[in-house]
Amino acid sequence: MKRLVLLLLLIAVSLSLSASSLLVGIEGGYSYSMIQTSTGWTGTYNTNGHGFDIAMPVEYRFNDWFSLSSGIRWMMKSSEYIKTSADGENILEEYTRMHHVVEIPLTLRFSFSVDDFRFFAGGGAYIGVRTIDVDAGEIRMEISSVDNLSGKQEFYQHVPFEADDNLFDAGIIAELGASYELGDYGSFFLLGRYQYGLTSLAKGSYMAAHSYFDNICVDIGFLWRVI
C-alpha cells in the first residue's frame, strides 16, 4: 500500500513538472488611487487621483490550473490636494501629489482554458518602497499683480521626505484576468487588479496624518515563454 501511494505521488509530481512552464514579460496600464486620510488642518481636502504603472512580471505555471505570479512593478499612487480660504469660498492651492512606489507582488492564480483563451483569478500580497514624491499644480493668489493677471502660479517640485514619512508600503491583492495563448511563444493578457493598502504613508502625527491608499488597476501586457 505504501509503495502504491509513493508511486502515485511520483506520477503526480512528474506530471506537474512536465506541464510546468516559466514566463516573463512586460505590462503597463492605468491606476486609480483612492485615498483615506485626514490632513489635520481646517480647509484642506484630499481626493482620489489618477496614475499609471509599469511592471516586469514573472509567472510560473505549475500546470493548466495553478500558477504563481511575481515580478517588480513601478507604480504611481496619487491624490488631489485642495486648500481653501478661511471662509471656504476660494481655492488657494490645488495640486496633485504623486507617490512613486516600487513594489514586489506575489499572487497565487487559479485558471482554466477555453480553446486559446485562458481565464484566471488570483490573490496575494505585495511589499514596496516609496522612492520619490512630486507635487504639480498651482497656487491661486488672492490679489493678482500686473505681471500675473490671473493670480495663479504653477509649480512642479520634488518633495523631500520628512521624519514623519513612512517609506515602507505593503498590502493585499485580488485580481482577475484573461489571456490569449500563442502556444510556445507566450500570451497576450488583460488584467484587472485591486490593491488594498495596509500601511500608511505617514506615521500619524498632527502635521502628517495617516494616509492609506487603495488602488484599482487595469493593465495589458505580454508574457514570453522561457521554459
Side-chain angles (χ1 to χ4, degrees):
M1 183 65 182
K2 292 181 179 180
R3 293 183 178 181
L4 178 60
V5 172
L6 180 59
L7 178 61
L8 291 175
L9 287 174
L10 289 174
I11 292 174
V13 170
S14 62
L15 289 175
S16 175
L17 290 176
S18 63
S20 64
S21 58
L22 178 67
L23 301 95
V24 298
I26 186 168
E27 70 176 77
Y30 168 75
S31 174
Y32 179 68
S33 300
M34 298 167 287
I35 186 172
Q36 302 176 33
T37 187
S38 174
T39 62
W41 295 99
T42 303
T44 59
Y45 306 91
N46 286 278
T47 60
N48 300 338
H50 307 273
F52 56 92
D53 67 293
I54 300 173
M56 295 179 61
V58 177
E59 183 178 1
Y60 183 80
R61 296 180 181 176
F62 298 100
N63 47 47
D64 290 337
W65 285 18
F66 294 100
S67 64
L68 196 63
S69 177
S70 186
I72 185 168
R73 174 182 297 121
W74 173 87
M75 187 172 182
M76 180 192 296
K77 299 184 178 183
S78 62
S79 62
E80 304 295 325
Y81 172 88
I82 299 173
K83 181 179 179 180
T84 64
S85 57
D87 56 13
E89 295 184 359
N90 299 310
I91 297 177
L92 303 181
E93 296 182 32
E94 186 174 14
Y95 61 86
T96 300
R97 172 155 292 183
M98 296 164 281
H99 306 283
H100 298 270
V101 183
V102 176
E103 298 177 348
I104 298 177
L106 182 63
T107 57
L108 178 64
R109 293 174 175 174
F110 171 78
S111 62
F112 64 94
S113 299
V114 178
D115 296 328
D116 292 330
F117 291 93
R118 180 171 174 265
F119 303 91
F120 59 89
Y126 70 90
I127 58 172
V129 58
R130 186 158 42 129
T131 58
I132 302 173
D133 281 358
V134 176
D135 286 348
E138 60 185 26
I139 298 174
R140 301 178 181 180
M141 293 166 282
E142 296 186 57
I143 301 176
S144 60
S145 64
V146 175
D147 296 328
N148 188 359
L149 297 177
S150 65
K152 299 178 181 179
Q153 179 180 345
E154 296 183 353
F155 65 92
Y156 180 95
Q157 63 186 21
H158 294 276
V159 181
F161 294 126
E162 305 289 345
D164 288 325
D165 287 324
N166 177 26
L167 303 186
F168 175 74
D169 191 21
I172 57 179
I173 301 173
E175 57 187 14
L176 289 171
S179 63
Y180 181 75
E181 302 296 310
L182 298 173
D184 294 334
Y185 295 102
S187 62
F188 287 103
F189 66 89
L190 173 66
L191 170 67
R193 185 176 70 253
Y194 179 78
Q195 294 190 187
Y196 181 81
L198 296 176
T199 56
S200 170
L201 296 184
K203 296 179 180 178
S205 68
Y206 179 78
M207 295 290 291
H210 283 302
S211 298
Y212 293 89
F213 275 98
D214 299 337
N215 284 82
I216 297 175
C217 305
V218 179
D219 287 0
I220 59 173
F222 185 83
L223 288 170
W224 288 272
R225 190 180 300 273
V226 177
I227 299 176

